[in-house]
Amino acid sequence: MATVDPIALDLVDFLNASPTNFHAVDEAKKRLKQAGFAHLSEREDWVLESEGKYFFTRNHSTIIAFAIGKKYVAGNGFHIVGAHTDSPCLKVKPVSKVTKGGYLEVGVQTYGGGLWHTWFDRDLTLAGRVIKKEVKEHSVTYSHTLVRIEEPILRIPTLAIHLDRSVTEGFKFNTHSHLVPVLATSIKGELQKLVNHNSSSESNEKTNVDDKIHHPVLLQLIADHAHCHPDEICDFELQVCDTQPSIVGGAMKEFIFSGRLDNLCMSFCALKALIDSTSVESSLGDETGVRMVALFDHEEVGSDSAQGAGSPAMLDALSRITKSFNSSDPMLLGKAIHRSFLVSADMAHALHPNFMDKHEESHQPKLHGGLVIKHNANQRYATNAVTAFIFREIAEIHNLPIQDFVVRNDMPCGSTIGPILASGVGIRTVDVGAPQLSMHSIREMCAVDDAKHSYEHLKAYFNEFTELDNKLIVDC
């Protein structure tokens, strides 16, 4: 039996702890705190120190962590890896109650560009966050609580082939009418409603839950996992999740099978690289810059939100760090940005053995082949010759594999947070990602080796960039 690299096993643990973007940020927080990073609040003043390690969250779905070099002075550069915490999924609607044909169903919205046919006939559940009311000593507060229902409670069944012979010619469905998860049958739902009503009556509790908005059985399930009464639920953001856990698979234990590899794989590798590159007491002793990881929400829908890469979140962080060390010179932030570098890390398209014609002949990234540098002449990726050289040189120094990707001229090209941050902040950027198959499916796959290569490459970037950049002359 093949031995599995511990990096891959750690990635699997991270994936299994992160069914939603909120849970991914929560897991990142736990790992950062354990590594000695201090939690900052954007609502408060920051008091930062050389060799200090810090992080903050925004909306609990975006997290930015950074470590300040011992030799850092205001105006020096930031060495950043950016990724995203969100993945295509089905999100519960504000009014989710659907009753049809004797079934209780849950109304959902499609989020991002998912391969929605892969969500049929899967054992599904719900996870996300709940805003709940708490009354203590006649004082009312409202708290944000993460919830995750472990057991399968939902399913989107396909139609039997006997009722649609044309399905063999292509599975076609309407995302509004047919992509609706079944929760229960109406008769079982009514029985549960009666039980809940009797229970509330016996305890002299009154419920104000509007049965026209959500099924009572759904609210009770959510309340049980939020450790509250249904009447204490003020609102929630929940998404449908697959119950099948992430796992190492393949005949040689060479693959990772999981949902949300795009882009939690890159988020994990970036986070671990930052933590491990700053874990030894002397790690930041010769560092003149600031090492940073920024994991954003809403990349899958364009990044235009208060916590997306299109927000001022990163620029705010760069500004506050710079001003913490020198608030008198307004030109220092601009100098810092021009000395900075961003690795936009988002998963890449591996060559598919059954659809090889979908790749450009000379640019066919393969599993086990290391990180992929993404190029696009029309700026769908932010890579240029200078930024690609820097990233490639780091691979050369550490004998790490590296690949290149260009989309075919007759196919549209996806994009990342790279061009958004490059244009919005003005920072040099390279777009990279680990190769994977089944991107945007409910179950994706990548290679164990590439998780290790990605982590090692990003860690080397944090350790090597300052010295390498000092040797590079472009604008002079």
Side-chain angles (χ1 to χ4, degrees), residues 16-49:
N16 283 324
S18 308
T20 74
N21 49 352
F22 302 116
H23 288 82
V25 167
D26 199 58
E27 178 65 16
K29 282 175 57 178
K30 292 175 183 176
R31 291 171 178 247
L32 288 165
K33 286 181 178 179
Q34 188 174 12
F37 284 70
H39 191 175
L40 300 172
S41 170
E42 287 194 282
R43 296 186 176 192
E44 307 294 337
D45 293 333
W46 290 1
V47 179
L48 308 178
E49 300 177 351

Short mmCIF file of all heavy atoms in Angstrom, two decimals, residues 16-49:
data_model
loop_
_atom_site.label_atom_id
_atom_site.label_comp_id
_atom_site.label_asym_id
_atom_site.label_seq_id
_atom_site.Cartn_x
_atom_site.Cartn_y
_atom_site.Cartn_z
N ASN A 16 -12.58 18.52 4.99
CA ASN A 16 -13.68 17.93 5.74
C ASN A 16 -14.18 18.85 6.85
O ASN A 16 -15.33 18.73 7.29
CB ASN A 16 -13.27 16.57 6.32
CG ASN A 16 -13.28 15.48 5.27
OD1 ASN A 16 -14.12 15.47 4.38
ND2 ASN A 16 -12.33 14.55 5.36
N ALA A 17 -13.34 19.77 7.29
CA ALA A 17 -13.76 20.75 8.30
C ALA A 17 -14.42 21.97 7.68
O ALA A 17 -14.92 22.84 8.41
CB ALA A 17 -12.55 21.19 9.12
N SER A 18 -14.46 22.03 6.33
CA SER A 18 -14.87 23.26 5.64
C SER A 18 -15.96 23.03 4.61
O SER A 18 -15.74 23.19 3.41
CB SER A 18 -13.65 23.89 4.96
OG SER A 18 -12.57 24.05 5.85
N PRO A 19 -17.18 22.66 5.04
CA PRO A 19 -18.27 22.46 4.08
C PRO A 19 -18.75 23.75 3.43
O PRO A 19 -19.37 23.72 2.38
CB PRO A 19 -19.37 21.81 4.92
CG PRO A 19 -19.12 22.32 6.31
CD PRO A 19 -17.62 22.39 6.42
N THR A 20 -18.48 24.90 4.06
CA THR A 20 -18.87 26.20 3.52
C THR A 20 -17.72 27.18 3.67
O THR A 20 -16.73 26.91 4.36
CB THR A 20 -20.11 26.77 4.25
OG1 THR A 20 -19.70 27.24 5.55
CG2 THR A 20 -21.21 25.74 4.40
N ASN A 21 -17.85 28.34 3.03
CA ASN A 21 -16.83 29.38 3.17
C ASN A 21 -16.71 29.85 4.62
O ASN A 21 -15.61 30.17 5.09
CB ASN A 21 -17.14 30.56 2.24
CG ASN A 21 -18.57 31.04 2.34
OD1 ASN A 21 -19.42 30.44 2.99
ND2 ASN A 21 -18.87 32.15 1.67
N PHE A 22 -17.81 29.89 5.35
CA PHE A 22 -17.77 30.30 6.76
C PHE A 22 -16.96 29.31 7.59
O PHE A 22 -16.17 29.69 8.45
CB PHE A 22 -19.18 30.41 7.33
CG PHE A 22 -20.07 31.37 6.60
CD1 PHE A 22 -21.21 30.92 5.94
CD2 PHE A 22 -19.79 32.72 6.56
CE1 PHE A 22 -22.04 31.80 5.26
CE2 PHE A 22 -20.60 33.61 5.89
CZ PHE A 22 -21.73 33.15 5.22
N HIS A 23 -17.16 28.02 7.33
CA HIS A 23 -16.42 27.00 8.06
C HIS A 23 -14.94 27.01 7.67
O HIS A 23 -14.07 26.75 8.51
CB HIS A 23 -17.02 25.62 7.79
CG HIS A 23 -18.35 25.40 8.44
ND1 HIS A 23 -19.53 25.86 7.89
CD2 HIS A 23 -18.69 24.77 9.59
CE1 HIS A 23 -20.53 25.52 8.68
NE2 HIS A 23 -20.06 24.86 9.72
N ALA A 24 -14.65 27.31 6.39
CA ALA A 24 -13.26 27.38 5.94
C ALA A 24 -12.52 28.49 6.69
O ALA A 24 -11.38 28.31 7.12
CB ALA A 24 -13.20 27.62 4.44
N VAL A 25 -13.16 29.64 6.83
CA VAL A 25 -12.55 30.75 7.57
C VAL A 25 -12.39 30.38 9.04
O VAL A 25 -11.38 30.69 9.67
CB VAL A 25 -13.38 32.03 7.41
CG1 VAL A 25 -12.98 33.10 8.42
CG2 VAL A 25 -13.23 32.57 5.99
N ASP A 26 -13.38 29.69 9.60
CA ASP A 26 -13.29 29.28 11.00
C ASP A 26 -12.13 28.31 11.21
O ASP A 26 -11.39 28.42 12.19
CB ASP A 26 -14.60 28.62 11.42
CG ASP A 26 -14.77 28.57 12.93
OD1 ASP A 26 -14.74 29.65 13.56
OD2 ASP A 26 -14.90 27.47 13.48
N GLU A 27 -11.95 27.38 10.28
CA GLU A 27 -10.83 26.44 10.38
C GLU A 27 -9.50 27.17 10.22
O GLU A 27 -8.52 26.86 10.92
CB GLU A 27 -10.97 25.35 9.32
CG GLU A 27 -9.86 24.32 9.28
CD GLU A 27 -9.76 23.46 10.54
OE1 GLU A 27 -10.73 23.44 11.33
OE2 GLU A 27 -8.72 22.79 10.72
N ALA A 28 -9.45 28.14 9.31
CA ALA A 28 -8.23 28.94 9.15
C ALA A 28 -7.90 29.69 10.43
O ALA A 28 -6.73 29.77 10.84
CB ALA A 28 -8.40 29.91 7.98
N LYS A 29 -8.92 30.26 11.06
CA LYS A 29 -8.71 30.98 12.33
C LYS A 29 -8.09 30.07 13.39
O LYS A 29 -7.16 30.46 14.09
CB LYS A 29 -10.05 31.53 12.85
CG LYS A 29 -10.55 32.77 12.16
CD LYS A 29 -11.93 33.18 12.66
CE LYS A 29 -11.97 33.40 14.16
NZ LYS A 29 -13.31 33.83 14.61
N LYS A 30 -8.62 28.87 13.50
CA LYS A 30 -8.11 27.92 14.50
C LYS A 30 -6.64 27.61 14.25
O LYS A 30 -5.83 27.58 15.19
CB LYS A 30 -8.94 26.64 14.47
CG LYS A 30 -10.37 26.79 14.95
CD LYS A 30 -11.16 25.50 14.76
CE LYS A 30 -12.62 25.68 15.17
NZ LYS A 30 -13.43 24.47 14.90
N ARG A 31 -6.29 27.39 13.00
CA ARG A 31 -4.91 27.05 12.67
C ARG A 31 -3.98 28.25 12.90
O ARG A 31 -2.85 28.08 13.37
CB ARG A 31 -4.83 26.57 11.22
CG ARG A 31 -5.49 25.20 11.00
CD ARG A 31 -5.59 24.82 9.54
NE ARG A 31 -6.18 23.50 9.39
CZ ARG A 31 -5.53 22.42 8.93
NH1 ARG A 31 -4.26 22.52 8.57
NH2 ARG A 31 -6.15 21.26 8.85
N LEU A 32 -4.44 29.44 12.57
CA LEU A 32 -3.62 30.63 12.77
C LEU A 32 -3.40 30.91 14.26
O LEU A 32 -2.28 31.22 14.68
CB LEU A 32 -4.27 31.83 12.09
CG LEU A 32 -4.22 31.84 10.56
CD1 LEU A 32 -5.19 32.86 9.99
CD2 LEU A 32 -2.80 32.13 10.07
N LYS A 33 -4.45 30.79 15.04
CA LYS A 33 -4.31 31.02 16.49
C LYS A 33 -3.36 30.02 17.11
O LYS A 33 -2.53 30.36 17.97
CB LYS A 33 -5.68 30.94 17.16
CG LYS A 33 -6.58 32.14 16.91
CD LYS A 33 -7.91 32.01 17.63
CE LYS A 33 -8.78 33.24 17.43
NZ LYS A 33 -10.09 33.13 18.11
N GLN A 34 -3.45 28.77 16.67
CA GLN A 34 -2.57 27.73 17.19
C GLN A 34 -1.11 28.02 16.84
O GLN A 34 -0.20 27.65 17.57
CB GLN A 34 -2.98 26.37 16.63
CG GLN A 34 -2.26 25.19 17.26
CD GLN A 34 -2.80 23.86 16.78
OE1 GLN A 34 -3.57 23.78 15.83
NE2 GLN A 34 -2.39 22.78 17.43
N ALA A 35 -0.90 28.72 15.71
CA ALA A 35 0.45 29.06 15.27
C ALA A 35 0.93 30.39 15.84
O ALA A 35 2.00 30.88 15.46
CB ALA A 35 0.50 29.11 13.75
N GLY A 36 0.15 31.01 16.72
CA GLY A 36 0.58 32.24 17.38
C GLY A 36 0.19 33.53 16.70
O GLY A 36 0.69 34.60 17.06
N PHE A 37 -0.73 33.47 15.73
CA PHE A 37 -1.22 34.70 15.09
C PHE A 37 -2.28 35.34 15.99
O PHE A 37 -3.16 34.66 16.50
CB PHE A 37 -1.81 34.38 13.72
CG PHE A 37 -0.80 34.13 12.64
CD1 PHE A 37 -0.02 32.98 12.65
CD2 PHE A 37 -0.62 35.05 11.61
CE1 PHE A 37 0.91 32.73 11.65
CE2 PHE A 37 0.31 34.82 10.61
CZ PHE A 37 1.08 33.65 10.63
N ALA A 38 -2.19 36.65 16.14
CA ALA A 38 -3.14 37.39 16.98
C ALA A 38 -4.32 37.86 16.14
O ALA A 38 -4.16 38.28 14.99
CB ALA A 38 -2.45 38.60 17.62
N HIS A 39 -5.51 37.83 16.73
CA HIS A 39 -6.75 38.20 16.05
C HIS A 39 -6.97 39.70 16.17
O HIS A 39 -7.08 40.24 17.27
CB HIS A 39 -7.92 37.43 16.67
CG HIS A 39 -9.19 37.54 15.89
ND1 HIS A 39 -10.32 36.85 16.20
CD2 HIS A 39 -9.50 38.27 14.77
CE1 HIS A 39 -11.28 37.13 15.34
NE2 HIS A 39 -10.80 38.00 14.46
N LEU A 40 -7.04 40.40 15.04
CA LEU A 40 -7.31 41.83 15.00
C LEU A 40 -8.76 42.08 14.61
O LEU A 40 -9.40 41.25 13.98
CB LEU A 40 -6.41 42.53 13.97
CG LEU A 40 -4.90 42.43 14.16
CD1 LEU A 40 -4.19 43.01 12.94
CD2 LEU A 40 -4.45 43.14 15.43
N SER A 41 -9.26 43.26 14.99
CA SER A 41 -10.59 43.68 14.56
C SER A 41 -10.46 44.92 13.69
O SER A 41 -9.72 45.86 14.04
CB SER A 41 -11.47 44.00 15.77
OG SER A 41 -12.67 44.63 15.36
N GLU A 42 -11.17 44.94 12.57
CA GLU A 42 -11.14 46.13 11.70
C GLU A 42 -11.85 47.31 12.35
O GLU A 42 -11.67 48.45 11.91
CB GLU A 42 -11.80 45.81 10.36
CG GLU A 42 -10.98 44.92 9.45
CD GLU A 42 -11.50 44.91 8.03
OE1 GLU A 42 -12.51 44.22 7.79
OE2 GLU A 42 -10.91 45.59 7.17
N ARG A 43 -12.61 47.05 13.39
CA ARG A 43 -13.32 48.13 14.09
C ARG A 43 -12.45 48.85 15.11
O ARG A 43 -12.85 49.89 15.64
CB ARG A 43 -14.56 47.57 14.79
CG ARG A 43 -15.61 46.99 13.85
CD ARG A 43 -16.85 46.59 14.61
NE ARG A 43 -17.91 46.12 13.73
CZ ARG A 43 -19.16 45.92 14.11
NH1 ARG A 43 -19.51 46.18 15.37
NH2 ARG A 43 -20.06 45.48 13.26
N GLU A 44 -11.29 48.27 15.40
CA GLU A 44 -10.42 48.82 16.44
C GLU A 44 -9.12 49.32 15.83
O GLU A 44 -8.78 49.01 14.69
CB GLU A 44 -10.12 47.73 17.49
CG GLU A 44 -11.34 47.06 18.07
CD GLU A 44 -12.20 47.99 18.91
OE1 GLU A 44 -11.65 49.00 19.40
OE2 GLU A 44 -13.40 47.71 19.09
N ASP A 45 -8.37 50.12 16.62
CA ASP A 45 -7.03 50.54 16.22
C ASP A 45 -6.10 49.33 16.25
O ASP A 45 -6.25 48.44 17.08
CB ASP A 45 -6.50 51.62 17.16
CG ASP A 45 -7.27 52.93 17.04
OD1 ASP A 45 -7.83 53.18 15.95
OD2 ASP A 45 -7.33 53.67 18.03
N TRP A 46 -5.12 49.34 15.35
CA TRP A 46 -4.13 48.26 15.33
C TRP A 46 -2.81 48.76 15.92
O TRP A 46 -2.32 49.83 15.56
CB TRP A 46 -3.87 47.80 13.90
CG TRP A 46 -5.02 47.06 13.26
CD1 TRP A 46 -6.23 46.79 13.80
CD2 TRP A 46 -5.04 46.51 11.94
NE1 TRP A 46 -7.02 46.10 12.92
CE2 TRP A 46 -6.32 45.91 11.76
CE3 TRP A 46 -4.13 46.45 10.90
CZ2 TRP A 46 -6.68 45.27 10.57
CZ3 TRP A 46 -4.48 45.82 9.72
CH2 TRP A 46 -5.75 45.23 9.57
N VAL A 47 -2.25 47.96 16.80
CA VAL A 47 -0.91 48.21 17.33
C VAL A 47 -0.05 47.03 16.89
O VAL A 47 -0.17 45.93 17.42
CB VAL A 47 -0.90 48.35 18.86
CG1 VAL A 47 0.52 48.59 19.36
CG2 VAL A 47 -1.84 49.47 19.30
N LEU A 48 0.79 47.26 15.88
CA LEU A 48 1.55 46.18 15.27
C LEU A 48 3.03 46.30 15.60
O LEU A 48 3.55 47.40 15.82
CB LEU A 48 1.37 46.22 13.74
CG LEU A 48 -0.08 46.25 13.23
CD1 LEU A 48 -0.09 46.33 11.71
CD2 LEU A 48 -0.85 45.03 13.71
N GLU A 49 3.71 45.17 15.60
CA GLU A 49 5.14 45.13 15.93
C GLU A 49 5.91 44.32 14.91
O GLU A 49 5.35 43.41 14.28
CB GLU A 49 5.35 44.53 17.32
CG GLU A 49 4.69 45.29 18.45
CD GLU A 49 4.87 44.60 19.79
OE1 GLU A 49 5.36 43.44 19.79
OE2 GLU A 49 4.54 45.19 20.83
#
